[in-house]
């Protein structure tokens, strides 16, 4: 709710407190919000579903040093536990060989190095089973246009596919133990409803692939956790679950994908104009309701890819726009999904080819040359939220409590991106600073606040990159400068009087306040 007169009153009477938070004097904001939080309320469970898993570039990239360094950075800053990537069955991983006599054999060398690396760096695999090994394909010419051209055809012989899946599962269990591998996820294929599957008809042929795969995995151990259909645009879920029910096919979780610029026509089958800020959670809500109406109303839901855009838009995924976008997405989706996997954790990534510019609109939280993006800082800040959600009457705030009694509040000022093309558009987003007057009741006496900020002048490597002239190949010295500029800004202390304090958030800014 907006209370203009209250906001103006606090601006005049508490400007000293504002200066402590912002470090600068702002023009009077056009609007403000009064936020009331009860620190003693029981709250509702608030698991960190957005940091359970992250996506990444194809499997073979996990062998690179810069990939693993980015893994370490993510591990230190967030609670992410799983990594998902395409291509564990691709030719460059080398799992399948066929000799001159047509005999199939398996080489697990790179598979082991890839999964060993994830585990050694603190992550578990979310195993996307794809794409088709060329040795097994029904169509050697069925190559996806990604730079590395994976094969996307069905297998020529399902007996060979089944044997490969069984051999892989058996090897993983023998190497890592069933207790470990049973904690992983196995997802069958990637986006078979669009350009990643040439089986015809697409849905029926994918269901055949799923049945063969899940039965081969469960034959090794019924404890292995298997799901699908891993569709784009939140598609096929009712049909998939109905088919599984009728055919008595095991399903342990449902997975699908959505992006902020997917269209309502494709996702919701409507002619609405759904803005980027809402599309992801509109899709989550749709699938949540579809599962509730299915034969499996308690089926876990995994959005194994999501982001604000499926394209390379430098004004979106590279900029501070992502702070408010991510915070609002968490607010809207909470309670409707078990896992959401941001695509992706790093711009060690080659779907469109070798990176030519560190800020080209890549999907990663970390740009090339290990430069943290604003989105990385948003994840680090939102990691500080507690696991109990407290009621707050606002669409620009989240209030939580940790087990130790600390209250953590996220506040943001969402505004659309400046440009939405593959070319970077310089300029300032439209809008005005947003003023929050916060009253946290039942805080312990002597509580103090720590404040983290992400905005145009805090934790924003892009601003430094702009000043450099956006070079395609920054010098080693410039890379050091960009890494420093991209670091999460140092926290500031703030006085709290009887649970009351003031915060002003710039346009496209995100603030996290911890009250102890």
């Amino acid at each position: 709710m907006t209370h203009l007169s209250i906001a103006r009153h606090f601006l005049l009477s508490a400007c000293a407190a504002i200066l402590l938070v912002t470090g600068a004097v702002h023009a009077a904001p056009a609007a403000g919000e009064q936020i009331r939080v009860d620190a003693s309320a029981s709250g509702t469970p608030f698991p960190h579903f957005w940091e359970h898993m992250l996506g990444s570039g194809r499997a073979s990239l996990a062998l690179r040093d810069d990939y693993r360094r980015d893994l370490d950075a993510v591990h230190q800053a967030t609670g992410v536990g799983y990594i998902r990537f395409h291509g564990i069955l691709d030719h460059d991983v080398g799992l399948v060989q066929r000799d001159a006599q047509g005999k199939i054999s398996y080489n697990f060398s790179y598979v082991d190095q890839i999964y060993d690396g994830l585990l050694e760096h603190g992550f578990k695999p979310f195993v996307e089973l794809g794409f088709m090994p060329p040795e097994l394909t029904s169509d050697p010419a069925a190559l996806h246009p990604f730079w590395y051209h994976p094969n996307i055809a069905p297998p020529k012989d399902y007996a060979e596919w089944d044997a490969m899946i069984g051999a892989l599962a058996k090897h993983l269990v023998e190497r890592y133990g069933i207790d470990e591998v049973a904690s992983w996820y196995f997802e069958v294929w990637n986006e078979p409803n669009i350009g990643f599957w040439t089986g015809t008809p697409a849905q029926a042929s994918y269901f055949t692939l799923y049945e063969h795969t899940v039965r081969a995995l469960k034959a090794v151990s019924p404890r292995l956790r298997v799901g699908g259909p891993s569709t784009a645009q939140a598609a096929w879920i009712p049909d998939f679950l109905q088919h599984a029910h009728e055919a008595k096919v095991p399903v342990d979780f449902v997975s699908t994908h959505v992006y902020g610029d997917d269209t309502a026509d494709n996702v919701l089958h409507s002619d609405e104009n759904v803005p980027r800020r809402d599309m992801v959670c509109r899709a989550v809500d749709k699938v949540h309701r579809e599962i509730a109406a299915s034969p499996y109303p308690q089926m876990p839901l995994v959005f194994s890819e999501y982001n604000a855009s499926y394209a390379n838009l430098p004004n979106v995924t590279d900029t501070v726009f992502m702070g408010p976008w991510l915070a609002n997405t968490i607010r809207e989706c909470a309670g409707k999904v078990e896992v959401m996997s941001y695509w992706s954790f790093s711009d060690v990534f080659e779907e469109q080819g070798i990176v030519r510019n560190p800020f080209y609109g890549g999907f990663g939280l970390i740009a090339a040359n290990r430069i943290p993006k604003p989105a990385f800082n948003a994840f680090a800040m939102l990691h500080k939220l507690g696991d109990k959600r407290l009621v707050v009457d606002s669409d620009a705030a989240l209030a939580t409590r940790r087990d130790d009694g600390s209250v953590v509040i996220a506040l943001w000022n969402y505004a659309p991106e400046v440009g939405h093309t593959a070319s970077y558009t310089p300029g300032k987003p439209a809008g005005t600073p947003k003023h929050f007057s916060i009253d946290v009741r039942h805080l312990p006496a002597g509580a103090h606040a720590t404040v983290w900020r992400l905005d145009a002048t805090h934790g924003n490597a892009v601003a430094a990159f702009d000043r450099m002239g956006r070079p395609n190949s920054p010098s080693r010295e410039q890379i050091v400068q960009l890494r420093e500029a991209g670091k999460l800004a140092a926290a500031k202390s703030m006085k709290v009087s009887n649970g009351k304090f003031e915060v002003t958030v710039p346009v496209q800014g995100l603030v996290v306040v911890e009250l102890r």
Side-chain angles (χ1 to χ4, degrees), residues 46-260:
F46 188 62
H48 286 203
F49 61 91
W50 70 93
E51 56 177 13
H52 193 67
M53 176 169 67
L54 291 171
S56 99
R58 60 181 170 144
S60 61
L61 295 175
L63 299 170
R64 285 174 41 169
D65 178 67
D66 51 354
Y67 180 104
R68 294 184 175 186
R69 290 194 186 197
D70 286 354
L71 275 182
D72 289 339
V74 168
H75 189 262
Q76 292 166 12
T78 75
V80 172
Y82 289 82
I83 296 293
R84 173 186 180 267
F85 40 66
H86 308 319
I88 196 64
L89 306 180
D90 284 359
H91 180 69
D92 61 349
V93 177
L95 173 62
V96 182
Q97 291 85 44
R98 188 189 295 274
D99 66 18
Q101 290 72 45
K103 183 180 179 181
I104 292 288
S105 62
Y106 309 108
N107 182 346
F108 297 102
S109 176
Y110 276 8
V111 171
D112 292 345
Q113 292 180 52
I114 288 166
Y115 290 147
D116 284 356
L118 291 187
L119 293 166
E120 289 166 5
H121 288 258
F123 296 87
K124 292 177 181 288
F126 186 101
V127 182
E128 177 206 301
L129 291 166
F131 292 101
M132 190 57 59
E135 295 80 3
L136 304 188
T137 187
S138 60
D139 183 1
L143 302 179
H144 191 275
F146 279 169
W147 184 71
Y148 56 90
H149 298 311
N151 190 282
I152 54 175
K156 182 177 181 180
D157 182 345
Y158 266 105
E160 292 182 340
W161 172 267
D162 296 349
M164 177 198 66
I165 294 295
L168 174 61
K170 184 174 182 291
H171 173 79
L172 295 175
V173 169
E174 289 174 348
R175 184 173 182 83
Y176 302 109
I178 185 56
D179 288 342
E180 171 62 34
V181 181
S183 72
W184 301 4
Y185 294 79
F186 290 83
E187 181 185 45
V188 180
W189 213 253
N190 175 73
E191 298 188 350
N193 61 317
I194 54 171
F196 291 90
W197 177 246
T198 63
T200 54
Q203 188 182 87
S205 61
Y206 171 79
F207 289 170
T208 299
L209 177 77
Y210 180 85
E211 289 183 33
H212 277 268
T213 307
V214 69
R215 295 194 192 285
L217 290 166
K218 295 288 188 180
V220 173
S221 173
R223 295 177 60 191
L224 298 183
R225 182 164 48 181
V226 191
S230 190
T231 43
Q233 301 167 345
W236 289 8
I237 303 304
D239 291 345
F240 175 71
L241 290 176
Q242 188 62 37
H243 174 80
H245 178 68
E246 292 175 356
K248 295 181 172 55
V249 180
V251 181
D252 297 310
F253 63 91
V254 159
S255 66
T256 190
H257 306 159
V258 72
Y259 288 83

Side-chain angles (χ1 to χ4, degrees), residues 35-41 390 400-402 404-409 438-450 494-501 513-516:
I35 304 293
R36 292 187 177 91
V37 180
D38 185 351
S40 66
L390 305 175
T400 65
R401 187 180 59 243
R402 296 188 193 140
D404 65 2
S406 302
V407 173
V408 184
I409 302 172
I438 295 98
D439 181 0
V440 184
R441 301 170 188 175
H442 304 119
L443 268 183
H448 66 278
T450 304
M494 179 177 63
K495 292 181 180 179
V496 178
S497 178
N498 296 320
K500 296 180 181 180
F501 58 96
V513 182
E514 176 190 76
L515 298 154
R516 287 182 177 270

Side-chain angles (χ1 to χ4, degrees), residues 41-52 79 281 306 326-340 378-379 381-392 394 397-403 406-412 510 512:
S42 58
T44 56
F46 188 62
H48 286 203
F49 61 91
W50 70 93
E51 56 177 13
H52 193 67
C281 293
Y306 81 98
L326 182 63
N328 185 67
T329 298
I330 293 168
R331 180 189 68 85
E332 288 188 352
C333 292
K336 299 177 180 179
V337 58
E338 279 68 31
V339 179
M340 289 185 70
F379 263 82
M381 290 166 63
L382 295 166
H383 176 62
K384 301 177 189 298
L385 292 170
D387 61 3
K388 285 287 191 297
R389 185 176 183 180
L390 305 175
V391 173
V392 59
S394 174
L398 271 169
T400 65
R401 187 180 59 243
R402 296 188 193 140
D403 287 343
S406 302
V407 173
V408 184
I409 302 172
L411 306 162
W412 59 90
L510 170 67
V512 170

Side-chain angles (χ1 to χ4, degrees), residues 4 308 390 465:
L4 191 58
L390 305 175
F465 190 60

